[in-house]
Amino acid sequence: MELHEGRPDSMEGRTAPEIRTYDFLDEHGIHYWQTDHDKAANTMEDCEDVDAILEATICKNLFLCNRQKTKFYMLMMPGDKVFKTKEISHQINSPRLSFAPEEKMTEFLDIHPGAVSVMGLMNDHDNNVQLLIDEDVLAGEYLGCHPCVNTSSLKIKMSDIIDVFLPAVHHAFIKVHLTGED
């Protein structure tokens, strides 16, 4: 794996959502680095090699919903923290959270399990998904995320995510605190 500044040299064999991600970042003047993986990064363990290349906060991104499946959330949290629904539910005043159905992920974000990323919010034109970001992710200088596919990763300044990307996709975020304890 090698880290390259900007989009890959060739778009051959890349998916439409991935190409749209590079186009969006370029159109909005967001500086980024990109790397392709030897294999798909489906788990946090798969991301360890990527983490070494990116030298950025690699997030665990979870796509969640309330019990009624009427409110949807993307939670960005450090990969080494433990996820407890009770901690998040209390902070966002939602009695129960669970993993959202894959078809809603595809419908709202145009991504699939294993590729959940803040970049998917560019496809959520109706603001169906509320972004939740753990305070430790916000504290990082750089963010590592997928460009809507899990065979590549991006390194982007966190300030560009907060100050440029999120306003451009018309999404706000809620800062949350996860203890990371079992």
Side-chain angles (χ1 to χ4, degrees):
M1 281 186 290
E2 292 183 35
L3 197 58
H4 302 279
E5 200 166 347
R7 69 173 51 233
D9 293 333
S10 171
M11 293 295 110
E12 187 177 327
R14 302 206 182 257
T15 66
E18 181 181 9
I19 294 168
R20 277 197 314 270
T21 301
Y22 303 132
D23 290 345
F24 188 92
L25 294 172
D26 291 345
E27 287 167 14
H28 290 85
I30 298 173
H31 191 83
Y32 62 96
W33 294 263
Q34 183 272 343
T35 188
D36 291 320
H37 310 168
D38 297 331
K39 63 178 184 171
N42 292 309
T43 66
M44 289 310 297
E45 291 76 26
D46 294 340
C47 290
E48 288 176 6
D49 292 338
V50 177
D51 188 24
I53 297 291
L54 294 182
E55 297 178 337
T57 302
I58 302 283
C59 289
K60 186 185 305 182
N61 297 287
L62 305 178
F63 187 58
L64 307 167
C65 66
N66 64 356
R67 182 184 346 194
Q68 299 82 8
K69 296 185 173 109
T70 56
K71 293 187 178 180
F72 297 86
Y73 305 91
M74 179 188 299
L75 171 62
M76 295 172 59
M77 60 184 283
D80 59 352
K81 279 194 177 181
V82 176
F83 171 63
K84 290 183 182 177
T85 59
K86 186 172 156 183
E87 277 187 320
I88 295 297
S89 295
H90 174 72
Q91 292 177 59
I92 63 171
N93 296 318
S94 180
R96 253 178 91 138
L97 290 176
S98 61
F99 290 100
E102 181 178 346
E103 57 270 11
K104 291 296 185 183
M105 182 186 306
T106 304
E107 177 186 344
F108 298 151
L109 304 173
D110 196 19
I111 52 180
H112 300 282
V116 178
S117 161
V118 67
M119 294 294 118
L121 293 177
M122 71 181 190
N123 301 312
D124 182 27
H125 304 291
D126 295 327
N127 285 69
N128 293 297
V129 180
Q130 172 64 61
L131 180 62
L132 311 172
I133 307 177
D134 181 74
E135 62 191 6
D136 289 341
V137 172
L138 288 168
E141 182 179 3
Y142 289 97
L143 175 72
C145 64
H146 293 309
C148 297
V149 295
N150 63 357
T151 53
S152 295
S153 289
L154 302 172
K155 176 180 179 176
I156 303 173
K157 282 192 170 200
M158 180 58 76
S159 60
D160 283 342
I161 295 293
I162 301 302
D163 299 334
V164 182
F165 180 79
L166 291 177
V169 298
H170 310 290
H171 277 74
F173 71 92
I174 297 172
K175 180 169 116 176
V176 296
H177 170 76
L178 295 168
T179 62
E181 299 170 0
D182 284 329

